[in-house]
Amino acid sequence: MNFFEELFENKEEPLKKIEVEKDYKKNLEIIKEYIGGSKDVIFREFTIGNEKIKCGAIYTEGLANQDLVSEHILKNLMLLSRMAEIKTHTIKQKIYELLKNMTISATDISEIEDINKAIDAILSGDTVLILENHDKVLVVASKGWPMRGVGEPSTETVVRGPRDGFTETMRVNTALVRRRIRDPKFKVKQMQVGRRSKTDIAIMFIEETVNKDVLEMVKERLDKIDIDVILESGYIEQLIEDNWKSPFPQIQHTQRPDVVAAAIYEGRVAIVVDNTPFVLLAPSTAVTFLQSPEDYNERFFIGSAIRILRVISIIMALFMPGLYIAITSYHPGMLPTDLALYIAGSRMNVPFPAFIEAFIMEAALELLREAGIRLPGAIGATIGIVGGLVLGQAAVEAGIVSPLMVIIVALTAIAGYSAPNYSFAISFRLLRFMLMALAGFLGLYGIILGSIIILTHLCTLKSFGVPYLSPIVAGEMTLKDFKDVFVRAPIHMMKTRPQFLHRSDSTRLKEMRRGDRHGEK
Amino acid sequence: MRKLKLLIISVMSIVIITGCWDKVEIDKRAFVALIGIDKFENNADQKKDKKNRYTVTIAYPNTGVIAGKGQGEPKFIYTSTGENFSDIINGLNTRLGKTTFFRHTKAIILGEKLAKDEKLFREVLDVIERSPELGRKIHLIIAKGEAKEILDTSTKDETVLGLFIRELMEQTRKTPRIADADLGYILRSLHESHTAITPKIVSSKDEFKIAGAAVLKDFKMIGWLGELETKDLMFMQDKIKSSEMNVVKDDIIIALRITDVSTKMRVYEEEGEIVTHFDVDGEANIQQHLFEVRDQPLDHEYLEKIGNLAAGNIKEEIKTTYKKIQDDYQADLVQAGESLRKHEPDTWDKVKENWDEIFPTTKVKVDVKIKVRRAGVTK
């Protein structure tokens, strides 16, 4: 048994097994006792063929595809089975084989002995058939419920790149990734989490490239979860992340199948949670949060330039208001004279100290953003205009804030939005307030203190055993990894996968001579 | 929990106890752009118990006007007297309602009388050097007359006087008639050889002019250098960026602009005498020749001759000015002693005891090479 089979081996039986009995009526009673009384669980009793074998079909309305149930199960059993020329006396003994091989024309059919499992199957959309005088029940896969189609993701939009995004159905999501990875070593392992919700979770990886330590850690942490309900992948993320006290996200989430596929190829592990379009990627480092699929789709000049811009903008979003406060309140000597005089003049008659002024504006900005998100699209835009333009303009004209402050706030807002990952950007937004307070009390000294605190924290932070700042600071730092950090090297130069994930098969690109690339000798 | 409480208490104590001590909002600061320091003139109304020695005038801009927000005077000028500089500034703070801030000071102007008083001048230099707020790039300028007059001048052009003076000083790139000497050079030079030059400023009714230089020796001002002499000194100090020169050839007055000048000074002992050798190397552009005189300005030999003429002029001027510095001021403004100390320590050991007497007897040798590179556009 290899590593992967051992890891995903089903070690324990969660519930007491209830054996299926020979008695048809009794079986039906047991199931009814468990899930009866709900209007959406349908019990359909009928007889099969000429022999009038009693049979019951149980499925959940809305979760099971009713066309499939009526066309391929009920119709076949009730009508078509009569046409099958079978000797009467064999029917009773071989009813199962008969049904499976000759009558039911649904794709997936299996036989189970445990009523608990049957109930699980019914509740996840399958149809269960109970036969007279048979000590096994048949489960016919008939899942089919109304679902949102594959549409363009609302976050992480790109100009150049695929437009499909994950949906709320896990199976669709795994299929979207599978389409991009035809490698036979690509595995989708499945498990259920949630005592009551029994949410399906799929763990996806490529056996040959995955970092086994990370995979083991993921599985172990998922196994430890004992919660009644998992509604969104955020629950999983918060339950398995390394450090819950850190403001930085340690697991990346994405709506884009191409991002997930790329991550899996790099040797990371994807966790798909049912009922949410957000797929988790582990491990994630600060660098991965700054990468956008567009960096790779565009040519490397543009990709690199945008990457650099993004790093700068993240730093700007973190430091700008703090620097404004520190410099105007403590160190105006650092500014060029003309600028210092202008700022002093424009702040004339502003009733608040720089810290309060900045705080009011930044808080107003966060408020606007929150209001804009919660409101429906059209009104959201109105809020933006009213808040951004009218309020800002009025505040400046009333002399409550200086025009430079408005510029700074607007710049930080834009800079903050440029991070491709929403939760990563949020953490910087929070830290910005900390730096503002420190700058208000201690000036530049405070900003330096704050930066030291943040850096120290980042240096100690790990995501599934991988240092958060790798490959910038890491024990196994290699220069090769810097090809995909601040710049994105041309693809023909990125010959290895990121080393900080330390997997076995690291070759991404086989040796390629310049001549080959240009189609010449 | 205990740990957390301790952490919160210690963080808060850092922030609250030590925070904010030097916080002054930017609009509550008076950005002193220009400081004028004069010697206090003893006149009748001074009370006997007060020991006024200085008159300090500061000018700072009305920032509201600069930002296009407020009205009123574009600049504020305050004058105060007192026993020493810091007393006066503290006294001024009580009148201003703002905190004086010297990080953006562009120039300090000293009155002629103060510069000639060794004790006061040394005090002022020490205040300036000791202050962490005053950078080494600011300009120390000596005014002909009183510094206060300069600050009272209302120029038409710039509202911020200090910035205006900075702009004027930037003109050293165009003309060498302004002594290129910032505070850093002056202090260093005074430390090393007890001599230095500072730019000179003269004011008339509604404008002022920076040209020429004041000669400092042994921590007081001992005289002025004219504009042309200043230029020659700049040649010697290798501070020329660009200069003008007229040469006459065949009755044609040719205006040249000398650029890319580099001067190498070497001081050495030759036959018992100290020789200061200047090796000037530069280029020239023809600015003016004569209309419709064709071929000449393009002829190599002709251009070479012009270059040699210009070189000859420079050579003579440098020699004359060097003599003047030796004879009139006995001041080693070219830092020949310092060069000797660095490059010929053995010789320096022999002469350092009485360098002040030896410098006026040193010989000067000048080599000048000017190559006319650009003849300008014709036709």
Side-chain angles (χ1 to χ4, degrees), chain A residues 327-338 340-350 353-355 438 440-442 449, chain B residues 14-16 18-29 31 61-64 66-67 69-70 101 103-104 106 160 163 166:
Chain A
I327 287 177
T328 56
S329 299
Y330 291 91
H331 320 278
M334 292 181 69
L335 294 168
T337 304
D338 302 86
L341 294 179
Y342 179 79
I343 294 175
S346 68
R347 267 191 58 79
M348 218 169 67
N349 302 330
V350 171
F355 170 60
L438 278 172
F441 281 111
L442 300 170
L449 275 188
Chain B
I14 289 174
V15 169
I16 290 169
T18 66
C20 297
W21 69 273
D22 60 343
K23 176 173 164 178
V24 181
E25 288 298 328
I26 194 166
D27 46 324
K28 301 284 185 289
R29 290 185 197 262
F31 289 89
N62 181 349
T63 52
I66 290 170
K69 234 180 156 185
F101 185 61
R103 280 269 152 81
H104 287 295
K106 295 299 165 204
V160 186
L163 291 187
R166 184 185 65 185

Coordinates of all heavy atoms in Angstrom, one line a residue, chain A residues 327-338 340-350 353-355 438 440-442 449, chain B residues 14-16 18-29 31 61-64 66-67 69-70 101 103-104 106 160 163 166:
Chain A
I327 N 5.1 62.5 8.9 CA 5.9 63.6 8.3 C 5.2 64.9 8.6 O 5.9 65.9 9.0 CB 6.0 63.4 6.8 CG1 7.0 62.2 6.6 CG2 6.6 64.6 6.1 CD1 7.3 61.8 5.2
T328 N 3.9 65.1 8.5 CA 3.3 66.4 8.7 C 3.4 66.7 10.2 O 3.4 67.9 10.5 CB 1.9 66.5 8.2 OG1 1.1 65.5 8.8 CG2 1.8 66.4 6.7
S329 N 3.3 65.8 11.1 CA 3.2 66.1 12.5 C 4.6 66.2 13.1 O 4.8 66.8 14.1 CB 2.4 65.1 13.3 OG 1.1 65.1 12.8
Y330 N 5.5 65.4 12.6 CA 6.8 65.3 13.3 C 8.0 65.8 12.5 O 8.9 66.3 13.0 CB 7.1 63.9 13.8 CG 6.1 63.5 14.9 CD1 4.9 62.8 14.6 CD2 6.5 63.7 16.2 CE1 4.1 62.4 15.6 CE2 5.6 63.3 17.2 CZ 4.4 62.7 16.9 OH 3.6 62.3 17.9
H331 N 8.0 65.4 11.2 CA 9.2 65.6 10.4 C 9.0 66.4 9.1 O 9.3 65.9 8.1 CB 9.9 64.2 10.1 CG 9.8 63.2 11.2 ND1 10.7 63.2 12.2 CD2 8.9 62.2 11.4 CE1 10.3 62.2 13.0 NE2 9.3 61.6 12.5
P332 N 8.5 67.6 9.2 CA 8.3 68.3 8.0 C 9.6 68.7 7.3 O 9.7 69.0 6.1 CB 7.5 69.6 8.4 CG 7.7 69.7 9.8 CD 8.0 68.3 10.4
G333 N 10.7 68.5 8.0 CA 12.0 68.8 7.5 C 12.4 67.8 6.4 O 13.3 68.1 5.6
M334 N 11.7 66.7 6.3 CA 12.1 65.7 5.3 C 11.5 66.0 3.9 O 11.9 65.4 3.0 CB 11.5 64.3 5.7 CG 12.2 63.8 7.0 SD 11.6 62.2 7.3 CE 12.2 61.2 6.0
L335 N 10.6 66.9 3.9 CA 9.9 67.2 2.6 C 10.8 68.2 1.9 O 11.5 69.0 2.5 CB 8.5 67.8 2.8 CG 7.5 66.8 3.5 CD1 6.3 67.6 3.9 CD2 7.1 65.7 2.5
P336 N 10.6 68.3 0.5 CA 11.2 69.4 -0.2 C 10.5 70.7 0.3 O 9.3 70.6 0.6 CB 10.9 69.1 -1.6 CG 10.5 67.7 -1.7 CD 10.0 67.3 -0.4
T337 N 11.3 71.8 0.3 CA 10.7 73.0 0.9 C 9.4 73.4 0.3 O 8.5 73.7 1.0 CB 11.8 74.1 0.8 OG1 13.0 73.7 1.3 CG2 11.3 75.4 1.5
D338 N 9.4 73.4 -1.0 CA 8.1 73.9 -1.7 C 6.9 73.1 -1.3 O 5.9 73.6 -1.0 CB 8.3 73.9 -3.2 CG 9.5 74.7 -3.6 OD1 10.6 74.2 -3.6 OD2 9.3 75.9 -3.9
A340 N 6.6 71.2 1.5 CA 6.3 71.5 2.9 C 5.5 72.7 3.1 O 4.5 72.7 3.8 CB 7.6 71.6 3.7
L341 N 5.9 73.8 2.3 CA 5.1 75.0 2.5 C 3.7 74.9 1.9 O 2.8 75.3 2.5 CB 5.9 76.1 1.7 CG 7.2 76.5 2.3 CD1 7.9 77.6 1.4 CD2 7.1 77.0 3.7
Y342 N 3.6 74.1 0.8 CA 2.3 73.9 0.3 C 1.4 73.1 1.2 O 0.2 73.5 1.4 CB 2.4 73.2 -1.1 CG 1.0 73.0 -1.7 CD1 0.3 74.0 -2.3 CD2 0.4 71.7 -1.5 CE1 -1.0 73.8 -2.8 CE2 -0.9 71.5 -1.9 CZ -1.6 72.6 -2.6 OH -2.8 72.4 -3.0
I343 N 2.0 72.1 1.8 CA 1.1 71.3 2.7 C 0.7 72.1 3.9 O -0.4 72.1 4.3 CB 1.9 70.0 3.1 CG1 2.1 69.1 2.0 CG2 1.2 69.3 4.2 CD1 3.0 67.9 2.3
A344 N 1.7 72.9 4.4 CA 1.4 73.7 5.6 C 0.3 74.6 5.2 O -0.7 74.8 6.0 CB 2.6 74.5 6.0
G345 N 0.3 75.2 4.0 CA -0.7 76.2 3.6 C -2.0 75.5 3.4 O -3.1 76.0 3.8
S346 N -2.0 74.3 2.8 CA -3.3 73.7 2.5 C -3.9 73.1 3.8 O -5.1 72.9 3.9 CB -3.1 72.5 1.5 OG -2.4 71.5 2.1
R347 N -3.1 72.9 4.8 CA -3.7 72.4 6.1 C -4.1 73.6 7.0 O -4.6 73.3 8.1 CB -2.7 71.6 6.8 CG -2.8 70.1 6.5 CD -1.9 69.3 7.5 NE -2.3 69.5 8.9 CZ -3.3 68.9 9.5 NH1 -4.1 68.1 8.8 NH2 -3.6 69.2 10.7
M348 N -3.9 74.8 6.5 CA -4.3 75.9 7.3 C -5.8 75.9 7.7 O -6.6 75.6 6.8 CB -4.0 77.2 6.6 CG -3.4 78.3 7.5 SD -2.8 79.7 6.6 CE -4.2 80.3 5.9
N349 N -6.1 76.1 8.9 CA -7.5 76.2 9.3 C -8.2 74.8 9.4 O -9.4 74.7 9.7 CB -8.4 77.1 8.4 CG -7.9 78.5 8.4 OD1 -7.3 78.9 9.4 ND2 -8.1 79.1 7.3
V350 N -7.5 73.7 9.1 CA -8.0 72.4 9.3 C -8.1 72.2 10.8 O -7.0 72.3 11.5 CB -7.2 71.3 8.7 CG1 -7.6 69.9 9.1 CG2 -7.2 71.4 7.2
P353 N -5.8 67.5 14.2 CA -4.5 67.1 13.9 C -4.4 66.1 12.8 O -5.5 65.4 12.6 CB -4.0 66.5 15.3 CG -5.2 66.3 16.1 CD -6.3 67.2 15.6
A354 N -3.3 65.9 12.2 CA -3.2 65.1 11.0 C -3.7 63.7 11.3 O -4.4 63.0 10.5 CB -1.7 65.0 10.6
F355 N -3.4 63.2 12.5 CA -3.9 61.8 12.8 C -5.4 61.6 12.8 O -5.9 60.7 12.2 CB -3.3 61.4 14.2 CG -3.9 60.1 14.7 CD1 -3.7 58.9 14.0 CD2 -4.6 60.0 15.9 CE1 -4.2 57.7 14.4 CE2 -5.1 58.8 16.3 CZ -4.9 57.7 15.6
L438 N 0.4 54.4 15.4 CA 1.8 54.4 15.8 C 2.4 55.7 15.3 O 3.2 56.4 16.0 CB 2.6 53.2 15.4 CG 2.4 52.0 16.2 CD1 3.0 50.8 15.5 CD2 3.0 52.2 17.6
G440 N 0.9 58.5 14.6 CA 0.3 59.6 15.3 C 0.9 59.8 16.7 O 1.1 61.0 17.1
F441 N 1.4 58.7 17.3 CA 2.0 58.9 18.7 C 3.5 59.1 18.6 O 4.1 59.8 19.4 CB 1.7 57.7 19.5 CG 0.3 57.7 20.1 CD1 -0.7 56.8 19.7 CD2 0.0 58.7 21.1 CE1 -2.0 56.9 20.2 CE2 -1.3 58.7 21.6 CZ -2.3 57.8 21.2
L442 N 4.1 58.3 17.7 CA 5.6 58.3 17.7 C 6.3 58.8 16.5 O 7.5 58.7 16.4 CB 6.0 56.8 18.0 CG 5.5 56.2 19.3 CD1 5.9 54.8 19.4 CD2 6.2 56.9 20.5
L449 N 8.9 51.0 14.2 CA 8.5 50.0 15.2 C 7.5 49.1 14.6 O 7.6 47.8 14.7 CB 8.0 50.7 16.4 CG 9.0 51.1 17.5 CD1 8.2 51.6 18.7 CD2 9.9 50.0 17.8
Chain B
I14 N 4.6 52.6 26.4 CA 5.6 53.1 25.3 C 4.9 54.2 24.6 O 5.4 55.3 24.4 CB 5.9 52.0 24.4 CG1 6.8 51.0 25.0 CG2 6.7 52.6 23.1 CD1 7.1 49.8 24.2
V15 N 3.6 53.9 24.1 CA 3.0 54.9 23.2 C 2.6 56.1 24.0 O 2.8 57.3 23.5 CB 1.8 54.2 22.6 CG1 0.9 55.2 21.9 CG2 2.2 53.1 21.6
I16 N 2.0 56.0 25.1 CA 1.4 57.2 25.8 C 2.4 58.0 26.5 O 2.4 59.2 26.5 CB 0.2 56.7 26.7 CG1 -0.9 56.2 25.8 CG2 -0.2 57.9 27.6 CD1 -2.0 55.6 26.6
T18 N 5.8 58.0 26.1 CA 6.9 58.6 25.3 C 6.4 59.3 24.1 O 7.1 60.1 23.4 CB 7.9 57.6 24.9 OG1 7.2 56.7 24.0 CG2 8.4 56.8 26.1
G19 N 5.1 59.1 23.7 CA 4.6 59.6 22.4 C 4.4 61.1 22.4 O 4.3 61.7 23.5
C20 N 4.3 61.6 21.3 CA 3.9 63.0 21.1 C 4.8 64.1 21.6 O 4.4 65.3 21.5 CB 2.5 63.2 21.7 SG 1.2 62.2 21.0
W21 N 5.9 63.8 22.2 CA 6.6 64.9 22.8 C 7.1 66.0 21.9 O 7.1 67.1 22.3 CB 7.8 64.3 23.6 CG 8.9 63.8 22.8 CD1 9.0 62.6 22.3 CD2 10.1 64.6 22.3 NE1 10.2 62.5 21.5 CE2 10.8 63.7 21.5 CE3 10.5 65.9 22.5 CZ2 12.0 64.1 20.9 CZ3 11.7 66.3 21.9 CH2 12.4 65.4 21.1
D22 N 7.4 65.6 20.6 CA 7.9 66.7 19.8 C 6.9 66.9 18.6 O 7.3 67.4 17.5 CB 9.3 66.4 19.2 CG 9.3 65.1 18.4 OD1 8.3 64.4 18.6 OD2 10.2 64.9 17.7
K23 N 5.6 66.7 18.9 CA 4.7 66.8 17.8 C 4.2 68.2 17.6 O 3.7 68.8 18.6 CB 3.5 65.9 18.1 CG 2.4 66.0 17.1 CD 1.3 65.0 17.4 CE 0.0 65.3 16.7 NZ -1.0 64.3 17.0
V24 N 4.4 68.7 16.5 CA 3.9 70.1 16.1 C 3.3 69.9 14.7 O 4.0 69.5 13.8 CB 5.0 71.1 16.1 CG1 4.4 72.5 15.7 CG2 5.7 71.2 17.4
E25 N 2.0 70.2 14.6 CA 1.4 70.0 13.3 C 2.1 71.0 12.3 O 2.5 72.1 12.6 CB -0.1 70.4 13.4 CG -0.9 69.3 14.1 CD -0.9 67.9 13.4 OE1 -0.8 67.9 12.2 OE2 -0.9 66.9 14.1
I26 N 2.1 70.5 11.1 CA 2.9 71.3 10.0 C 2.4 72.7 9.9 O 3.1 73.6 9.6 CB 2.8 70.5 8.7 CG1 3.9 71.0 7.7 CG2 1.4 70.5 8.1 CD1 4.1 70.1 6.6
D27 N 1.0 72.9 10.1 CA 0.5 74.3 9.9 C 0.8 75.1 11.1 O 0.4 76.3 11.1 CB -1.0 74.2 9.6 CG -1.7 73.3 10.5 OD1 -1.2 72.2 10.8 OD2 -2.9 73.6 10.8
K28 N 1.3 74.6 12.2 CA 1.6 75.3 13.4 C 3.1 75.7 13.4 O 3.6 76.2 14.5 CB 1.3 74.6 14.6 CG -0.2 74.2 14.7 CD -1.1 75.4 15.1 CE -2.5 75.0 15.3 NZ -3.2 74.6 14.0
R29 N 3.8 75.4 12.4 CA 5.2 75.7 12.4 C 5.5 77.0 11.5 O 4.8 77.2 10.5 CB 6.0 74.6 11.8 CG 6.1 73.3 12.6 CD 7.0 72.3 12.0 NE 6.8 71.0 12.5 CZ 7.5 70.5 13.4 NH1 8.5 71.1 14.0 NH2 7.3 69.2 13.9
F31 N 8.0 78.3 9.0 CA 9.1 77.8 8.3 C 10.1 78.9 8.0 O 9.9 79.6 7.0 CB 8.6 77.2 6.9 CG 7.9 75.9 7.1 CD1 6.6 75.8 7.4 CD2 8.6 74.7 7.1 CE1 5.9 74.6 7.5 CE2 8.0 73.5 7.3 CZ 6.6 73.4 7.5
P61 N 7.5 82.5 5.3 CA 6.4 82.8 4.3 C 5.0 82.5 4.9 O 4.9 81.8 5.9 CB 6.7 81.8 3.2 CG 7.4 80.7 3.8 CD 8.2 81.2 5.0
N62 N 4.1 83.2 4.4 CA 2.7 83.0 4.8 C 2.2 81.8 3.9 O 1.9 82.0 2.7 CB 1.9 84.2 4.5 CG 0.4 84.1 4.8 OD1 0.0 83.0 5.1 ND2 -0.3 85.2 4.9
T63 N 2.2 80.6 4.5 CA 2.0 79.4 3.7 C 0.6 79.4 3.1 O 0.4 78.8 2.0 CB 2.1 78.2 4.6 OG1 1.3 78.3 5.7 CG2 3.6 77.9 4.9
G64 N -0.4 80.1 3.7 CA -1.7 80.1 3.1 C -1.7 80.8 1.8 O -2.4 80.3 0.8
I66 N 0.8 80.8 -0.3 CA 1.5 79.9 -1.2 C 0.5 78.8 -1.7 O 0.4 78.5 -2.9 CB 2.7 79.2 -0.5 CG1 3.7 80.2 -0.3 CG2 3.2 78.1 -1.4 CD1 4.9 79.8 0.6
A67 N -0.4 78.3 -0.8 CA -1.3 77.3 -1.2 C -2.6 77.9 -1.9 O -3.5 77.2 -2.2 CB -1.7 76.5 0.0
K69 N -4.7 79.9 -0.5 CA -5.9 79.7 0.4 C -6.2 81.0 1.1 O -7.3 81.6 1.1 CB -5.6 78.6 1.4 CG -6.7 77.6 1.4 CD -6.4 76.5 2.4 CE -7.6 75.8 2.9 NZ -7.2 74.9 4.0
G70 N -5.1 81.5 1.8 CA -5.3 82.7 2.6 C -5.0 84.0 1.9 O -4.6 84.0 0.8
F101 N 10.9 76.9 12.9 CA 11.4 75.6 12.4 C 12.5 75.9 11.4 O 12.3 76.7 10.4 CB 10.2 74.9 11.7 CG 10.6 73.5 11.3 CD1 11.0 72.6 12.1 CD2 10.4 73.2 9.9 CE1 11.3 71.3 11.7 CE2 10.7 71.9 9.5 CZ 11.1 71.0 10.4
R103 N 14.5 73.7 9.7 CA 15.0 72.6 8.8 C 14.9 73.1 7.3 O 15.6 72.6 6.4 CB 14.1 71.4 8.9 CG 14.5 70.5 10.1 CD 15.5 69.5 9.7 NE 16.3 69.1 10.8 CZ 16.0 68.2 11.7 NH1 14.8 67.6 11.7 NH2 16.8 67.9 12.7
H104 N 14.1 74.1 7.0 CA 13.9 74.5 5.6 C 14.6 75.9 5.4 O 14.3 76.6 4.5 CB 12.5 74.6 5.2 CG 11.9 73.3 5.0 ND1 12.3 72.4 4.0 CD2 10.9 72.6 5.7 CE1 11.6 71.3 4.1 NE2 10.8 71.3 5.1
K106 N 17.1 78.4 4.2 CA 17.9 78.3 3.0 C 19.2 79.1 3.1 O 20.2 78.8 2.4 CB 17.1 78.8 1.7 CG 15.9 77.9 1.4 CD 16.4 76.5 1.1 CE 15.2 75.6 1.1 NZ 15.6 74.2 1.4
V160 N 8.8 83.9 -1.2 CA 9.6 83.3 -0.2 C 11.1 83.7 -0.4 O 11.7 83.2 -1.3 CB 9.5 81.7 -0.2 CG1 10.2 81.2 1.0 CG2 8.1 81.3 -0.2
L163 N 13.8 81.0 -0.6 CA 13.8 80.2 -1.8 C 14.4 81.1 -2.9 O 15.1 80.6 -3.8 CB 12.3 79.9 -2.2 CG 11.7 78.8 -1.3 CD1 10.3 78.4 -1.9 CD2 12.5 77.6 -1.1
R166 N 18.0 80.9 -2.7 CA 18.4 79.6 -3.1 C 18.5 79.6 -4.7 O 19.5 79.1 -5.3 CB 17.5 78.5 -2.7 CG 18.0 77.1 -3.0 CD 17.0 76.1 -2.6 NE 15.8 76.2 -3.4 CZ 14.7 75.5 -3.2 NH1 14.7 74.6 -2.2 NH2 13.6 75.6 -3.9

